[in-house]
Amino acid sequence: MNISWLEDFLVLASVGNFSRAAEDRHMTQPAFGRRVRALEEWLGVELFDRSTQPVLLTEAGQWFLGVAPELLADIARLPGSARVVAENHSKSLRLAATHALSLTFMPGWLRRFEDHTMAGNLHLESDMFHRCEALLAQNKVQFMLCHAHSQAPSTLQQQGYESICVGKDVLLPVSLMGPSDQPLHRLDQRAKVAPLLVYSAESGLGNILHRTIDSELDELQTQAVFTAHLASVLRSMAIEGRGIAWLPRSLISDDLASGRLVPAADARWNVELEIRLYRAQSQLGRAAEALWQAAVQSV
């Protein structure tokens, strides 16, 4: 039996017309008809009364209409179930983290759980926020580490993914140090236009800034002079003196300590962040579940 036969059956049962069903399934009517007949021959019963227009389900067809969706759902769950069985005895861990946290917070955080992360293979996907979200939603990773803010709920949060706060961070507006130990660019209400280094619309940090301070920025004289996805790129441009960028303290702690970068505004323009660890909704497997429980207990 071919799985596609089940999908053919459901389409025909829905529309009641071979020609239209064949079109919906992107094939010729004769080819579609042969596939429906093949399903009936495999079952040993007729599923459709072809003497009527539209075609109607026979009693056996009515019964199969309740069975076919369940069969397809069971088949769709098989790959995930197979991965769970494999992972129950696997020591491999798959983690996605945004670029900024991959460079800063994550290495130290993982060291706290060496008993769980050093015993097997740890695979890291470092990517943009929305791509990390997609990896977790597709069960390609078991965990996702990202910045978060209550005013900018993520898609994962809205869909009920479980998460815990594993750290704190803050977005600071910073600039290259200028003459007289003052910031080269400053965010204030003076007439001078402040050049901004901004995140793209696809950036998770950009979304947080949009939800928290964008409306207040509209009241100041500013101009976006450079846009990029990554905080590390904006950091480089800030060090070159190109403008003001909101950067995670975890990324620029050394720059602040050396005086290379300095705050470009007072503390009211800081944006407090959480660092959250999300877990997949599917069963994690023994090694990943042990890491999750250790992380929960450490909070």
Side-chain angles (χ1 to χ4, degrees), residues 2-298:
N2 191 316
I3 296 172
S4 61
W5 295 351
L6 299 177
E7 297 166 340
D8 296 338
F9 165 79
L10 291 173
V11 171
L12 182 55
S14 174
V15 303
N17 182 277
F18 273 86
S19 177
R20 182 177 168 191
E23 183 178 342
D24 288 349
R25 296 290 288 158
H26 306 290
M27 67 181 70
T28 64
Q29 182 174 335
F32 179 80
R34 287 193 295 271
R35 288 179 24 160
V36 173
R37 181 61 72 186
L39 174 62
E40 292 176 319
E41 290 175 355
W42 183 79
L43 289 169
V45 296
E46 289 195 352
L47 299 173
F48 295 96
D49 180 357
R50 293 164 171 78
S51 67
T52 64
Q53 193 58 242
V55 295
L56 299 176
L57 290 168
T58 62
E59 288 188 12
Q62 291 285 355
W63 164 81
F64 197 62
L65 185 60
V67 172
E70 296 177 7
L71 288 174
L72 285 171
D74 287 341
I75 292 168
R77 285 191 288 266
L78 284 175
S81 299
R83 283 194 296 269
V84 168
V85 171
E87 288 173 357
N88 277 337
H89 301 284
S90 171
K91 294 181 179 179
S92 66
L93 297 169
R94 303 186 310 277
L95 174 71
T98 54
H99 285 291
L101 291 177
S102 298
L103 296 169
T104 57
F105 176 84
M106 192 201 66
W109 182 80
L110 287 175
R111 280 196 295 273
R112 297 168 56 191
F113 304 101
E114 285 186 349
D115 289 345
H116 302 282
T117 60
M118 299 299 288
N121 178 41
L122 175 62
H123 180 75
L124 170 67
E125 294 279 356
S126 179
D127 214 322
M128 293 175 55
F129 177 82
H130 76 282
R131 292 177 184 163
C132 290
E133 276 192 319
L135 289 171
L136 189 67
Q138 295 164 9
N139 289 321
K140 293 182 178 179
V141 296
Q142 298 151 322
F143 302 106
M144 173 184 167
L145 196 65
C146 63
H147 285 107
H149 193 283
S150 59
Q151 290 179 233
S154 69
T155 301
L156 297 176
Q157 182 180 345
Q158 294 169 344
Q159 293 177 348
Y161 279 76
E162 190 175 357
S163 70
I164 54 173
C165 178
V166 295
K168 299 288 187 179
D169 208 344
V170 58
L171 281 171
L172 303 171
V174 294
S175 165
L176 179 69
M177 175 77 80
S180 304
D181 294 334
Q182 294 296 312
L184 182 63
H185 306 288
R186 185 164 183 85
L187 190 70
D188 56 29
Q189 294 182 330
R190 300 171 189 169
K192 186 177 180 180
V193 176
L196 301 185
L197 311 173
V198 301
Y199 295 95
S200 68
E202 296 178 331
S203 165
L205 292 177
N207 181 53
I208 289 173
L209 289 172
H210 172 68
R211 300 293 185 92
T212 53
I213 65 167
D214 268 13
S215 59
E216 296 180 50
L217 276 177
D218 289 341
E219 300 175 5
L220 303 181
Q221 296 291 322
T222 63
Q223 180 182 2
V225 297
F226 183 82
T227 301
H229 297 322
L230 305 180
S232 57
V233 176
L234 296 187
R235 170 185 172 272
S236 297
M237 297 300 288
I239 291 173
E240 290 293 322
R242 296 288 297 276
I244 299 168
W246 269 259
L247 299 173
R249 186 193 296 275
S250 59
L251 182 65
I252 58 170
S253 57
D254 290 344
D255 299 318
L256 293 171
S258 67
R260 180 160 48 178
L261 292 177
V262 294
D266 57 50
R268 74 184 182 93
W269 290 100
N270 298 350
V271 180
E272 301 292 332
L273 300 173
E274 290 183 335
I275 300 173
R276 299 200 72 84
L277 180 70
Y278 284 88
R279 60 170 285 166
Q281 291 181 325
S282 59
Q283 192 171 345
L284 291 180
R286 185 178 303 170
E289 188 65 51
L291 174 60
W292 174 259
Q293 293 304 325
V296 169
Q297 292 170 13
S298 72

